[in-house]
Amino acid sequence: MSSLICGSLAYDTIMAFPDRFSESILADQLHNINVCFLVPSMRREFGGCAGNIAYSLKMLGGNPLIMATIGTDGEPYLERLAELDISRRHVTTVKKTFTAQAFITTDQNNNQITAFHPGAMSFSHQNKVADITENIELAIVAPDGRDGMLQNAEDCAAKGIAFIFDPGQGLPMFSKDELRRFIEQATYVAVNDYEAAMLMQETGWTEKEIASRVKALIVTLGERGAEIYAEGEKIVIPCVEAGKTIDPTGCGDAFRAGLIYGLTNNKDLATCGRLGSLMGAIKIAHQGPQAHSLTAAEIADRFEKEFGYRY
């Protein structure tokens, strides 16, 4: 069976600022900000939440099925998916648009400033989960076009497909009622700590109230690991020490790939979270969201070394 990955495909232009943003922005001039960051290094990567999640999930031995939209400049991405043996069947090319583009600048403290052009992503509602004929074990509704995310959640719920709601940076696009509806339809909710605070603020529900409406609420905490709230309990997931910290771009997506692989292979929530934590640590040691490369056996060995058992 397949895991349906609903989300964006994007090109990421990644730049490194060899200083701290905080030292280049005057706190008393935030109302009149006009800054320029000199970025000596720049590169272009394949990215987007759906692409990043599918990349790591395939590496683990999963069977990702991407549902996304690209623009007329998307042929290189289609070729890459073919090389990775990831299905392109539900990737739609939208005429007269660019593929979504993220322009990410990272400072030496791993803080990021991102400008994002949605492009073809805004037409993600042209794809319909209702039209999928493959057997789907689990889906994720990851950051994408607003209408597409709403539609994908409704369609997954209508078809009885368990799914993870992962609003990411798209969270501010939705109203209180829409966010509540997402949570009530979802099987799992996955957010980082900042998004968790925003989700509670916007829905008016506490962490406990959100967790009570799904099988599990997963909150990633960066270098502090993660927490999983399920059945009235909190499972603490330790951070896996990275060999080196190079680039945080895509770490959350790598975590979600580990989570999806664990859930679709009937692993307990603690193991799912630990596998996600390991995948995030593997990713952060590489430049770009899709530059890490290990075999499934190598990942299993690293997991056993880290946690003392095989998943």
Side-chain angles (χ1 to χ4, degrees):
M1 295 179 76
S2 301
S3 299
L4 181 63
I5 315 299
C6 303
S8 62
L9 292 177
Y11 294 120
D12 292 339
T13 299
I14 301 174
M15 296 156 282
F17 177 55
D19 208 332
R20 297 179 179 87
F21 293 139
S22 59
E23 295 177 359
S24 302
I25 300 174
L26 299 176
D28 62 348
Q29 291 295 312
L30 292 178
H31 65 288
N32 188 32
I33 194 165
N34 187 358
V35 296
C36 176
F37 301 112
L38 179 64
V39 287
S41 66
M42 184 181 82
R43 66 190 189 281
R44 198 184 195 208
E45 304 280 359
F46 295 100
C49 294
N52 297 343
I53 294 170
Y55 177 83
S56 287
L57 183 56
K58 185 73 176 182
M59 189 183 304
L60 281 160
N63 185 27
L65 186 66
I66 293 175
M67 173 171 280
T69 46
I70 57 170
T72 52
D73 58 343
E75 188 60 33
Y77 215 137
L78 293 175
E79 292 173 357
R80 174 171 176 76
L81 294 178
E83 291 170 0
L84 294 170
D85 193 27
I86 295 175
S87 173
R88 304 174 296 170
R89 181 175 176 182
H90 299 290
V91 177
T92 301
T93 300
V94 182
K95 295 180 180 179
K96 299 181 180 179
T97 66
F98 290 110
T99 299
Q101 316 262 337
F103 301 88
I104 305 165
T105 304
T106 305
D107 74 0
Q108 67 177 33
N109 284 352
N110 285 326
N111 296 308
Q112 293 184 317
I113 295 175
T114 301
F116 186 74
H117 171 65
M121 195 183 80
S122 298
F123 299 88
S124 61
H125 56 279
Q126 291 186 5
N127 290 323
K128 299 185 186 302
V129 174
D131 295 337
I132 288 182
T133 57
E134 293 90 344
N135 290 323
I136 305 299
E137 187 168 4
L138 179 68
I140 183 168
V141 177
D144 206 349
R146 181 183 185 280
D147 292 345
M149 291 180 71
L150 288 166
Q151 175 180 276
N152 291 337
E154 291 286 347
D155 285 353
C156 282
K159 292 190 72 169
I161 298 172
F163 74 93
I164 301 168
F165 174 48
D166 173 23
Q169 294 177 332
L171 197 153
M173 296 189 296
F174 303 105
S175 68
K176 172 182 177 179
D177 289 342
E178 288 168 338
L179 290 170
R180 286 188 168 194
R181 176 70 172 162
F182 274 124
I183 294 167
E184 288 169 341
Q185 292 172 319
T187 315
Y188 305 94
V189 173
V191 287
N192 64 28
D193 48 351
Y194 179 83
E195 293 156 1
M198 184 180 293
L199 190 59
M200 287 187 285
Q201 175 181 296
E202 295 302 315
T203 61
W205 287 340
T206 64
E207 219 163 44
K208 183 178 180 180
E209 288 173 322
I210 294 172
S212 71
R213 287 169 166 82
V214 291
K215 283 189 176 181
L217 166 64
I218 301 96
V219 181
T220 59
L221 306 170
E223 70 278 3
R224 293 180 288 121
E227 294 172 345
I228 299 177
Y229 299 85
E231 298 182 348
E233 302 293 332
K234 180 172 77 171
I235 303 169
V236 176
I237 305 299
C239 177
V240 174
E241 190 75 25
K244 46 190 173 179
T245 302
I246 301 296
D247 179 12
T249 309
C251 285
D253 296 326
F255 183 101
R256 282 149 179 77
L259 179 68
I260 292 168
Y261 183 84
L263 291 172
T264 54
N265 284 275
N266 301 314
K267 307 301 178 183
D268 61 88
L269 287 171
T271 298
C272 293
R274 290 167 183 165
L275 184 53
S277 186
L278 174 62
M279 293 304 294
I282 290 170
K283 206 266 33 109
I284 204 170
H286 298 79
Q287 289 279 9
Q290 298 179 26
H292 50 299
S293 180
L294 283 82
T295 65
E298 288 171 334
I299 295 170
D301 288 343
R302 288 191 61 171
F303 185 96
E304 184 175 21
K305 183 178 179 181
E306 183 72 27
F307 298 108
Y309 68 99
R310 294 188 79 80
Y311 59 81

